[in-house]
Amino acid sequence: MSQEPIKYGDVFEVSSEKHASKPIMPKDVAIMQSAENKELGHTPKGGPASIMQSAAALNRQFGGVGRDDMMDVARDKGVVVPQEDLLEGTRFVTESVGGE
């Protein structure tokens, strides 16, 4: 039974329809996890990489993507996880794939 793959726009707010319509792929998850670990020191439970991992696993299970698939934007422009310390230890974290 074939099912449409879960796309970025299905689970995240994405400004570009081009990126919103792309399926979440396993190698994109690995890049996001690496960026989160580098910047935050861990991959937050329930965070973007965690959500992406669940979506990519379902996409693989239903045949929407392959194990080594990666979105061209993630490969070419990378993933960024900047954070900024606000008042009294509060952090503001944004995450983006290819600037989205």
Side-chain angles (χ1 to χ4, degrees):
M1 181 174 167
S2 183
Q3 173 178 316
E4 280 288 311
I6 300 168
K7 299 172 182 69
Y8 279 91
D10 295 335
V11 294
F12 298 116
E13 186 175 323
V14 182
S15 60
S16 163
E17 180 56 38
K18 177 183 175 186
H19 296 138
S21 65
K22 299 283 187 181
I24 298 174
M25 300 186 194
K27 293 292 183 176
D28 299 349
V29 175
I31 292 171
M32 181 63 80
Q33 287 172 329
S34 176
E36 286 182 348
N37 283 323
K38 181 179 178 184
E39 185 65 31
L40 305 174
H42 68 287
T43 300
K45 191 173 196 170
S50 175
I51 292 167
M52 289 171 67
Q53 185 172 27
S54 296
L58 286 171
N59 286 346
R60 283 200 60 218
Q61 179 180 346
F62 292 113
V65 300
R67 181 179 65 136
D68 294 322
D69 287 352
M70 176 187 296
M71 188 169 73
D72 57 345
V73 173
R75 181 187 63 241
D76 298 341
K77 295 187 179 181
V79 171
V80 179
V81 183
Q83 63 177 324
E84 182 178 336
D85 288 326
L86 301 176
L87 301 173
E88 299 178 25
T90 302
R91 285 190 297 176
F92 181 73
V93 179
T94 58
E95 300 191 29
S96 67
V97 175
E100 290 288 325

